[in-house]
Amino acid sequence: GVGNAGAQWRMMVFAVVGMDSTSWASYYMMRGLIVIRRRTRSSASVDLHSRLMRMGLTFTMLILFQRPLQFIGICIRKALLLLSYVFPTDSWLARGLQGFVHYALDHNVILW
């Protein structure tokens, strides 16, 4: 499901970005393997191979940047949700915080 926020567009953008980084990682690693197998320029080929492999690994490690941001987003969501229960349930502030948490900070949006 896409959750309460109807986050299809945001999730689609993430899917495109995720596929893009996967495609680039695959491309650089395959080119690195081709370069090292052919070794037409000996030491220059090995240097090019190592640079291509570093680029491929860099693209695969983009997830390491994303996970801490997702954790921070989940913590902020939980804190705002708990804060909304401090106020009376019929107050505009409690309803506003709960609406913001359920729509703007939906789990499906945070985890994209």
Side-chain angles (χ1 to χ4, degrees):
V2 293
N4 296 332
Q8 293 94 339
W9 286 104
R10 285 179 263 181
M11 293 167 75
M12 183 191 68
V13 167
F14 172 72
V16 168
V17 169
M19 290 298 293
D20 184 52
S21 63
T22 302
S23 299
W24 281 114
S26 299
Y27 170 77
Y28 282 117
M29 288 193 176
M30 287 303 296
R31 291 304 297 171
L33 289 173
I34 290 169
V35 165
I36 201 65
R37 289 184 81 191
R38 290 185 185 164
R39 289 188 196 169
T40 55
R41 289 186 264 161
S42 64
S43 65
S45 294
V46 174
D47 182 50
L48 180 59
H49 163 76
S50 65
R51 288 187 299 171
L52 289 167
M53 287 303 200
R54 274 194 302 260
M55 283 300 296
L57 283 173
T58 300
F59 277 110
T60 61
M61 292 171 31
L62 287 175
I63 196 75
L64 296 176
F65 172 73
Q66 180 188 7
R67 292 297 182 220
L69 293 179
Q70 286 177 341
F71 180 70
I72 290 168
I74 290 169
C75 289
I76 290 171
R77 179 185 191 276
K78 186 65 174 179
L80 289 176
L81 194 58
L82 290 174
L83 182 65
S84 72
Y85 292 121
V86 170
F87 303 106
T89 55
D90 59 343
S91 74
W92 65 271
L93 191 53
R95 283 184 277 128
L97 275 173
Q98 289 174 356
F100 178 72
V101 166
H102 287 298
Y103 289 101
L105 295 179
D106 187 318
H107 274 297
N108 293 304
V109 174
I110 291 174
L111 295 176
W112 61 274

